[in-house]
Amino acid sequence: MTAPQATTSAPKKRGTTKIRENVPAPGTPEGSYFHYTPEEAALWLPFTARKLRLMAFAREIPHVNNGNKVWFSGLNVRAITEQFTRQPFTKPAPARAAA
């Protein structure tokens, strides 16, 4: 008698999405209006796909809502980057003495 073999077709997990090939960068002219899935946008942002969805549903970040699906255009990805970019602190110039 032989040991049972693992099946090759495992059941698919619900909600898994593949990342498409040849996805343009958000900073390029082609990528400005390209619609990215949260998984694809997560490649360009410091957030996971799940966090991006939660932030979009809470209306914390710009996104495209097409029929209960969250998408991000290249302009959205760039706006999110700007939203979470912190500029270095600069000291204010000392006040002049009144004459």
Side-chain angles (χ1 to χ4, degrees):
M1 183 175 244
T2 61
Q5 298 294 318
T7 59
T8 56
S9 60
K12 288 188 175 184
K13 291 182 181 179
R14 186 174 163 216
T16 58
T17 330
K18 293 182 180 178
I19 296 175
R20 297 172 283 181
E21 293 182 16
N22 301 325
V23 176
T28 61
E30 302 86 30
S32 294
Y33 297 103
F34 184 84
H35 283 83
Y36 299 91
T37 64
E39 289 77 17
E40 293 166 346
L43 297 174
W44 304 102
L45 296 169
F47 301 108
T48 63
R50 182 173 190 269
K51 179 69 175 175
L52 287 171
R53 279 191 201 91
L54 292 174
M55 292 169 64
F57 290 142
R59 306 288 193 262
E60 296 174 353
I61 55 175
H63 66 284
V64 178
N65 189 347
N66 289 337
N68 204 22
K69 289 191 177 187
V70 174
W71 295 84
F72 298 95
S73 70
L75 296 175
N76 293 142
V77 172
R78 292 166 62 187
I80 295 167
T81 302
E82 287 292 321
Q83 180 180 350
F84 290 97
T85 299
R86 300 291 177 241
Q87 298 299 326
F89 177 74
T90 57
K91 286 186 176 182
R96 293 189 212 175

